[in-house]
Amino acid sequence: MAQNIYDKSEFFAGYSQLNRSVHGLDGAPEWPSIRAVLPDLLGKRVVDLGCGFGWFSRWAREHGAAHVLGLDLSENMIARARADTADPNIEYAIADLEKLELPQASFDFAYSSLAFHYIEDFGRLVQTVHRALVPGSHFVFTIEHPIFMAPAHPGWSLDDDGNRTWPVNRYAVEGPRETDWFAKGVIKQHRTIGTTLNTLIGAGFAIRHVEEWSPASGQLAANPDLTDEMERPMMLLVAAQR
């Protein structure tokens, strides 16, 4: 079973204060890049893997999806998503993505935002998604970038010129990374970019777009706090097609 960190009270309280938790998709700086690679959702059956508060599930319905299934391990997340949703064509359920089973050829689009880096058996999950999608359909997801996740002790340091830098170590050593983020002992699963993409290819997906996300100039002008994101990629965006 995946670690259910989001149901720890201190973690959930901290996460709920993030800009993306308060303002939804518009509060996520990577959202414009994600939206640029999304397919037309008109009439589509969508599965939202790690749906959180349900922001994307509701957006998908607002943009034409026929039905959305939002899945999350966290009871707190699902409770909040249900409370904020009044749409009979959005269904939410508690599910462990490590053990996920989905009916074959039951969806036209699969989406996930910043959830898969918690999954140990990524290969099994990708195969499950591939079977659940109809031929020709799309799969878009974001994860924490492997460069951001790889260090044993992630954090900024100063180089010889006094500039902030993000040291990377143990990049080729895949596996769990334990960090403190809103709560102690948060477990994430580090994989190289090569492993991530080759797992998709091995399952039968074609890679359509890969983006090591960084803020656009307009975003930097509007929010100078994003300047750090130019020093190292924090997120990896992948679009694939079955």
Side-chain angles (χ1 to χ4, degrees):
M1 180 174 179
Q3 183 189 40
N4 188 6
I5 194 69
Y6 287 83
D7 279 347
K8 286 191 173 183
S9 57
E10 67 273 26
F11 187 97
F12 189 73
Y15 180 85
S16 297
Q17 299 304 310
L18 291 175
N19 205 41
R20 67 180 63 239
S21 298
V22 175
H23 300 290
L25 301 178
D26 289 336
E30 73 277 13
W31 174 240
S33 293
I34 295 172
R35 187 167 182 176
V37 300
L38 293 177
D40 181 7
L41 297 182
L42 183 63
K44 300 295 175 58
R45 299 163 296 168
V46 175
V47 61
D48 184 357
L49 302 164
C51 64
F53 290 169
W55 293 106
F56 180 80
S57 295
R58 292 187 291 274
W59 185 92
R61 275 286 294 151
E62 291 165 2
H63 288 77
H67 183 271
V68 182
L69 174 62
L71 302 175
D72 204 287
L73 179 61
S74 166
E75 293 183 10
N76 284 341
M77 292 291 193
I78 292 296
R80 170 69 179 274
R82 286 172 174 161
D84 290 348
T85 302
D87 186 334
N89 288 307
I90 299 178
E91 175 188 357
Y92 295 111
I94 294 173
D96 182 358
L97 299 186
E98 290 279 15
K99 303 176 181 179
L100 183 65
E101 299 287 348
L102 294 171
Q104 186 171 353
S106 54
F107 297 98
D108 307 295
F109 178 62
Y111 175 81
S112 183
S113 173
L114 299 177
F116 292 166
H117 51 264
Y118 295 111
I119 302 304
E120 182 176 2
D121 195 346
F122 182 60
R124 181 191 183 280
L125 177 59
V126 167
Q127 291 169 3
T128 298
V129 174
H130 188 269
R131 287 194 299 269
L133 290 172
V134 299
S137 54
H138 294 263
F139 180 24
V140 173
F141 66 89
T142 59
I143 56 173
E144 287 190 0
H145 196 287
I147 285 177
F148 181 79
M149 287 183 58
H153 303 287
W156 296 103
S157 62
L158 297 179
D159 63 19
D160 292 342
D161 297 321
N163 299 314
R164 281 158 61 86
T165 186
W166 188 268
V168 176
N169 54 33
R170 301 179 66 221
Y171 183 83
V173 182
E174 299 185 320
R177 298 291 193 271
E178 182 173 329
T179 63
D180 296 338
W181 184 54
F182 296 131
K184 291 186 177 299
V186 179
I187 304 297
K188 301 174 184 178
Q189 300 293 333
H190 166 66
R191 286 175 287 273
T192 66
I193 293 177
T195 293
T196 298
L197 299 183
N198 287 329
T199 299
L200 291 162
I201 294 168
F205 282 104
I207 307 300
R208 298 303 185 203
H209 181 81
V210 178
E211 183 171 340
E212 298 173 283
W213 183 83
S214 61
S217 57
Q219 290 178 302
L220 288 172
N223 185 1
D225 289 342
L226 290 175
T227 301
D228 281 347
E229 306 309 322
M230 302 298 292
E231 298 299 325
R232 51 94 182 95
M234 185 179 180
M235 284 171 275
L236 182 69
L237 165 61
V238 179
Q241 189 171 14
R242 190 198 190 288

